[in-house]
Amino acid sequence: MTLRYLKWIAGAATGLAMIGSAHAGTITVYTALEEEEVAAYLEAAKEALPDIEVEALRLSTGDLGARLIAEADNPQADVLWGFAVTNILDPQIGDQLEPYEAAGLDQLADQYKADDNRWFAPVGYMGAFCVNKPRLEEIGAEMPRTWTDLLDPTFEGEVVMPDPGSSGTGYLMVAAILQGLGEEEGWQLIEDLDSSMAQYTTSGSRPCRMAQVGEYTVGASLSFVAMQGISQGYPLEMVIPEDYAGYELEANGLMAGTDNAEDAKRFLDWTLSDSATSTYSEYKAVVTIPGVARSPLADDANLPENLDDVLFPMDFAKSGKEREAIINRWRETVGR
């Protein structure tokens, strides 16, 4: 049966990536993975699963979470793919998932999967500063190594970061600061940092892309976007914050009550297969599956070999429980 790659339209409620043949089984997948990686992964999936058509809706973390909650009484998806564990731990979302022990799940360490097999996380992402070196020299600032360094007056209006209400990347940054410093000092730092912020974006990757072309000096963003920018020749330095380098796990799960359980489970099995994992390192700094080759981009950007040495020990359960309250307070504190 001949495969055909039909289309990829991202970021809207009608956006679909479809792979397979006109007569194949069809599953609907919701994801918050970045657009370019979704397209690449689905290209690999269509080779491994030629008899399944995948319709993938990609939304930002915040928008997808809101959609899942809104659809709770009438679920529209078969699979949740690449969604922040912090959000899945919200019972309004996590309770929509059905336990499933995917093939290959035993290779993941316990911290990368749910005790009841409702979700598992083969990949994740971490925050980083994307620093435009010529612009840094132009404003006469030192290379920022910590969040506190960004309080230097020379960075006023020179920093961009994601809005934690819409971006999982933005939320992990705020959550790491609060978990590291505690409520009082953490919120004070967040409030003080606002004077350095030119704007807050809805996308986790956009701040880095803005910094790489020189719109701003620092983009608080995703480490892998920084690695890509460096490989593409942009004058960037990637800085993993030495104080609170937050990270997030991206998990997959089976939607409860799906009418397409067999094909949905096969897709979930595929996400732990060699076909999928061989592609992960091309887009991810954090891969939880043992033995996956390190990306050459990681070496070019001087990403530490052992991420445990730099990542803040996030309490995902705490992040999930406090998410709504934190976002509400962030909006009250920042006010934009």
Side-chain angles (χ1 to χ4, degrees):
M1 191 174 292
T2 303
L3 288 171
R4 51 197 177 95
Y5 187 68
L6 299 180
K7 60 182 178 178
W8 167 246
I9 308 172
T14 56
L16 298 177
M18 296 189 290
I19 60 174
S21 68
H23 304 291
T26 301
I27 60 172
T28 298
V29 174
Y30 282 2
T31 184
L33 295 168
E34 291 294 312
E35 296 172 16
E36 59 183 307
E37 61 181 304
V38 171
Y41 297 157
L42 290 182
E43 282 288 348
K46 75 177 180 179
E47 297 293 332
L49 304 170
D51 59 334
I52 297 178
E53 182 177 280
V54 180
E55 298 182 350
L57 170 65
R58 190 272 167 189
L59 293 171
S60 68
T61 302
D63 289 344
L64 183 52
R67 185 184 182 98
L68 286 164
I69 292 170
E71 292 179 354
D73 293 333
N74 184 28
Q76 300 298 304
D78 303 301
V79 171
L80 187 58
W81 178 37
F83 193 53
V85 165
T86 295
N87 293 68
I88 289 177
L89 291 176
D90 181 342
Q92 297 179 93
I93 296 174
D95 287 352
Q96 296 186 49
L97 298 177
E98 178 179 314
Y100 173 59
E101 188 171 353
L105 190 63
D106 57 346
Q107 64 188 310
L108 294 185
D110 289 345
Q111 64 264 38
Y112 304 131
K113 55 190 175 185
D115 293 339
D116 61 2
N117 293 327
R118 285 180 186 266
W119 58 263
F120 60 91
V123 295
Y125 53 90
M126 57 188 290
F129 298 156
C130 300
V131 183
N132 185 291
K133 293 186 286 187
R135 186 161 179 137
L136 183 75
E137 183 177 354
E138 181 182 327
I139 67 172
E142 296 292 324
M143 183 66 67
R145 299 294 175 186
T146 67
W147 284 98
T148 305
D149 288 345
L150 296 178
L151 298 178
D152 187 315
T154 55
F155 287 113
E156 184 174 350
E158 288 292 327
V159 184
V160 186
M161 74 169 280
D163 181 330
S166 60
S167 165
T169 306
Y171 182 72
L172 72 84
M173 293 173 178
V174 169
I177 290 171
L178 292 173
Q179 289 183 19
L181 277 175
E183 288 285 309
E184 185 175 347
E185 291 184 35
W187 282 113
Q188 187 60 60
L189 176 57
I190 291 166
E191 184 175 356
D192 292 344
L193 282 168
D194 186 53
S195 63
S196 297
M197 299 296 168
Q199 62 175 281
Y200 298 92
T201 68
T202 57
S203 162
S205 59
R206 189 158 182 257
C208 192
R209 303 199 191 285
M210 298 170 85
Q212 72 184 18
V213 296
E215 289 185 58
Y216 299 100
T217 303
V218 180
S221 187
L222 294 161
S223 60
F224 206 88
V225 181
M227 291 157 59
Q228 287 180 318
I230 291 169
S231 73
Q232 293 164 0
Y234 290 101
L236 289 178
E237 180 166 332
M238 180 179 73
V239 176
I240 308 299
E242 294 175 359
D243 45 7
Y244 312 111
Y247 76 105
E248 179 65 86
L249 297 174
E250 292 172 296
N252 310 331
L254 179 68
M255 296 296 291
T258 170
D259 294 329
N260 304 298
E262 182 179 350
D263 287 337
K265 290 176 180 179
R266 289 178 60 205
F267 181 83
L268 288 168
D269 291 347
W270 170 80
T271 67
L272 289 171
S273 70
D274 291 343
S275 168
T277 59
S278 63
T279 311
Y280 288 154
S281 62
E282 297 178 24
Y283 295 92
K284 293 297 179 188
V286 179
V287 180
T288 66
I289 301 170
V292 175
R294 177 180 165 93
S295 167
L297 276 63
D299 294 326
D300 294 342
N302 296 314
L303 183 73
E305 288 276 356
N306 186 3
L307 294 181
D308 290 339
D309 292 339
V310 296
L311 291 178
F312 182 80
M314 300 291 295
D315 183 336
F316 294 113
K318 181 179 176 66
S319 294
K321 182 179 180 180
E322 298 179 352
R323 186 176 185 278
E324 183 177 358
I326 287 174
I327 290 173
N328 287 339
R329 181 163 177 181
W330 183 85
R331 287 175 175 151
E332 292 172 2
T333 301
V334 172
R336 58 176 169 136

